[in-house]
Amino acid sequence: PVIVAPADIDIESCVAADSEVTSGNSGFAYSAALVTLDAAGVTAFLALTGASITEACDYTVTYIDTDDSGTLPFVVTRTWTITDACANTASDTQTITVDDTTAPAVTGSITDTTVEGCDATAAPAAVTDVAGLEGLTGDLLIADDCTADASLTLSLGTNTTGTCPIVITRTYAVTDAGGNVSANIVHIIN
C-alpha cells in the first residue's frame, strides 16, 4: 500500500494541546496512543490537503503523535500508517507546528504628563513592568493570550527635546515569551 500524509500545518496557539491540534487538523485529536480510523475517519483523512491512499484491497489506517514537549514552537510529528490485508505497511509523516506568533495586544493610551521642574531629572522614573505601565494615567491595557502580564518584558527608548518646555518622549514596547513585540506605547512628559 501507499499512503501520503496530509500537508504540514501551522496552528496558532500557546500549547500543543488536544483541542488546538484537533481543530487545526480536521478533527483528528492529538494522541500519543495508536488510533485506528473507521470508514468515516478514512474519508476525513482523504479530505485533508495532500492526503492520499493507494491500495486495491482491504486496509486499515492508523496514526500516532509525538511532540518535542519543549518550548514554543511545539512540533508534533504525526505518523500515518496504512496496513493491507496481507500485513504490508507503509508510513508517512505530517508535521504540525504549534506556535504563538501574535504580539501582545495594546489598547488605549497613556495621558501626557506635565511636571514642574528645571530639567529632565524632574520627570518621574520610567516604569519597568506591565503593571506599572498600565498604572500610568490613561486607559492603557495590555493583554497576551500566551504570556502572563508578570512575564511580559518591556523595552524603552527615550528622546528628550527642547529647553522650556522640555519634552521627554518615552517609547515602550512589550515582548511576550514567544518573542512577539507589541505596537509602540508612547508616554510624553512635559
Side-chain angles (χ1 to χ4, degrees):
V2 176
I3 190 168
V4 177
D8 295 344
I9 60 172
D10 296 325
I11 297 171
E12 176 71 24
S13 183
C14 308
V15 294
D18 178 54
S19 60
E20 285 83 8
V21 172
T22 300
S23 63
N25 208 33
S26 298
F28 290 106
Y30 177 89
S31 180
L34 194 65
V35 175
T36 301
L37 304 185
D38 58 13
V42 171
T43 300
F45 168 81
L46 290 171
L48 295 173
T49 302
S52 68
I53 293 172
T54 306
E55 175 56 41
C57 301
D58 289 336
Y59 60 86
T60 58
V61 176
T62 60
Y63 73 87
I64 191 167
D65 294 319
T66 57
D67 69 67
D68 63 7
S69 299
T71 58
L72 288 170
F74 298 106
V75 178
V76 175
T77 302
R78 177 164 288 171
T79 302
W80 297 91
T81 302
I82 186 170
T83 305
D84 68 15
C86 294
N88 299 304
T89 65
S91 297
D92 196 14
T93 58
Q94 175 188 26
T95 301
I96 303 167
T97 303
V98 180
D99 199 5
D100 169 25
T101 59
T102 303
V106 177
T107 57
S109 62
I110 302 170
T111 304
D112 292 357
T113 303
T114 301
V115 295
E116 183 69 29
C118 299
D119 56 37
T121 61
V127 297
T128 58
D129 59 21
V130 169
L133 199 56
E134 290 176 324
L136 294 173
T137 304
D139 59 354
L140 181 70
L141 293 174
I142 300 166
D144 190 80
D145 289 339
C146 295
T147 306
D149 281 3
S151 297
L152 294 169
T153 59
L154 291 184
S155 59
L156 170 64
T158 302
N159 184 36
T160 304
T161 58
T163 53
C164 256
I166 298 170
V167 179
I168 302 167
T169 304
R170 291 182 178 158
T171 304
Y172 295 91
V174 180
T175 305
D176 67 14
N180 304 302
V181 181
S182 74
N184 285 337
I185 304 160
V186 177
H187 182 201
I188 295 176
I189 303 166
N190 295 303

